Amino acid sequence: MLNLFTGSGVGPTILYLAISIFVGLLLGKIKIAKISLGITWVLFVGIALSACGVTLNAEMLHIIKEFGLILFVVAVGLQVGPGFFRSFKKGGLAMNLMALVNVALGVLITIIISKVAHQDLADMAGVYTGAITNTPGLSAAQQAVVDLGVEGGAERLAAGYAVTYPLAVVGMIVSCLLLKAFCRIDLKNEPSVETVLEPATEKQATPVSQRHKVNLIPIFIIIALGIIVGSIPIPVGMKAPIKLGLAGGPLVVAIIGSWLGVKKGWFTTEYTDSHGVWMLREVGIALFLAGVGLSAGGQFVNTVQEHYMWVIYGVIITMVPPILITLFGRKVLKMNYYTLMGFIGGSHTDPPTLAFANTIAPEGCKLPNMGYATVYPLTMFLRIFTAQLLVLLAV
């Protein structure tokens, strides 16, 4: 019985995942000044458990974490797909240009910090990937240092990622709140629907008895095709090719599959926006956050003590670009606040920010999801590319 709490097998792993999730969800109900971190608490409970000595099988946690992320992005893709391409008629192109500038600012700030603070740029690449919460970028950077024969480079990249990732999640949520304060946004008067973002195809009548049933076949077809697409190497003239990865591939396929499926009448918007898909999204993000917390927490305290300045650098990289870009989006382009919160999450490939945005937005509001999914594919590609670029610039 004791081994259930001290072991690292299947039973203990599932047990601590469950504890992280249900305790985190309970804490997420607590509001301070009418604000709650929501499901993001799952991450911090996982970190706390890991920091207290809970040690689980790393490979098992990695699989659970990645599968949870895949479920989450597939659900998001299904929900926003029917109206995704219409979003480019108003706001979509502008948001992707904003995302491009956002990425460029993050890279520029990373290079400036490296020069001013006399930090190795390869180490700062790890700080950068953690500050933008981009695991595929970390993997790409690690592969680059391995290919270049940099001794101990992969471990230092992982350390920079681990020490900045948790606070990056908080930093992006704080960025959303600062945007609200700076622009004096009143949520009661903020529009929660934009007709241009609504699907072009009218909903087809579906028998009431079938509306709560979710056909799992399309979902797992999307996952399978998404993994294949995400694994396709894209040559960019560097030593290592770029890939969309386990998250980017399924998201792209889900968006296209959802849009095409509704357009061709293979299924309805009542399927893509059903309670079942919503549940899939919430289970996925909960597993992902719990997996990240239980994986990273063990070394978190020691890494912070040894490289505490990395935390500060990470906060700067995390918060400065999105605050500047979203202030421009709000003040100049007059963009919706809920959409901008989704933009912040998507431009940093950060699911917890989207989860937080969905807790702030009114029930049924799809604007955070649309803002997230509109910029996520391009951002994912750019983050993976720039993480490798920083390593190459360092050697």
Side-chain angles (χ1 to χ4, degrees), residues 17 58-75 135 216 219-224 227 245-247 250-251 279-292 351:
L17 280 169
E59 292 185 3
M60 194 179 304
L61 281 177
H62 181 72
I63 293 173
I64 292 171
K65 178 180 67 176
E66 294 298 333
F67 187 63
L69 181 58
I70 289 169
L71 292 179
F72 175 79
V73 298
V74 166
T135 306
L216 293 177
I219 291 173
F220 282 94
I221 290 176
I222 288 171
I223 291 175
I227 297 299
L246 295 177
L251 177 66
M279 179 66 74
L280 193 72
R281 187 188 75 186
E282 296 302 301
V283 170
I285 188 62
L287 289 174
F288 172 74
L289 291 174
V292 170

Side-chain angles (χ1 to χ4, degrees), residues 262-277:
V262 170
K263 184 177 180 179
K264 296 294 185 179
W266 299 335
F267 42 75
T268 69
T269 52
E270 289 170 334
Y271 172 83
T272 61
D273 199 31
S274 66
H275 290 296
V277 172

Side-chain angles (χ1 to χ4, degrees), residues 135-313:
T135 306
L138 171 65
S139 300
Q142 287 179 318
Q143 185 60 53
V145 297
V146 170
D147 292 342
L148 294 169
V150 180
E151 187 175 351
E155 290 75 14
R156 291 182 65 81
L157 283 167
Y161 172 90
V163 77
T164 53
Y165 185 103
L167 290 182
V169 174
V170 178
M172 276 176 276
I173 291 174
V174 172
S175 297
C176 293
L177 298 176
L178 288 176
L179 175 65
K180 178 176 178 291
F182 290 157
C183 297
R184 298 181 179 179
I185 295 170
D186 182 3
L187 296 182
K188 293 181 180 179
N189 297 321
E190 188 71 8
S192 60
V193 176
E194 289 186 15
T195 54
V196 70
L197 297 180
E198 290 299 306
T201 305
E202 295 183 1
K203 291 185 177 181
Q204 302 175 17
T206 303
V208 175
S209 61
Q210 297 180 11
R211 288 184 180 177
H212 297 290
K213 296 180 180 180
V214 176
N215 184 352
L216 293 177
I217 294 177
I219 291 173
F220 282 94
I221 290 176
I222 288 171
I223 291 175
L225 292 176
I227 297 299
I228 294 172
V229 170
S231 302
I232 297 174
I234 305 171
V236 290
M238 302 171 70
K239 288 189 175 181
I242 291 177
K243 302 176 183 178
L244 286 175
L246 295 177
L251 177 66
V252 170
V253 174
I255 290 173
I256 296 174
S258 179
W259 167 75
L260 191 61
V262 170
K263 184 177 180 179
K264 296 294 185 179
W266 299 335
F267 42 75
T268 69
T269 52
E270 289 170 334
Y271 172 83
T272 61
D273 199 31
S274 66
H275 290 296
V277 172
W278 179 87
M279 179 66 74
L280 193 72
R281 187 188 75 186
E282 296 302 301
V283 170
I285 188 62
L287 289 174
F288 172 74
L289 291 174
V292 170
L294 290 168
S295 300
Q299 301 297 323
F300 182 73
V301 175
N302 291 336
T303 308
V304 169
Q305 291 175 342
E306 184 178 353
H307 302 290
Y308 64 92
M309 287 303 298
W310 285 2
V311 179
I312 298 174
Y313 302 150

Side-chain angles (χ1 to χ4, degrees), residues 176 179-180 185 187 190 330 335-341:
C176 293
L179 175 65
K180 178 176 178 291
I185 295 170
L187 296 182
E190 188 71 8
R330 181 68 179 187
M335 296 180 68
N336 183 279
Y337 176 62
Y338 301 125
T339 302
L340 287 173
M341 283 198 294

Side-chain angles (χ1 to χ4, degrees), residues 68-89:
L69 181 58
I70 289 169
L71 292 179
F72 175 79
V73 298
V74 166
V76 169
L78 284 171
Q79 289 177 325
V80 305
F84 177 77
F85 293 100
R86 291 195 68 205
S87 71
F88 282 86
K89 294 183 179 179

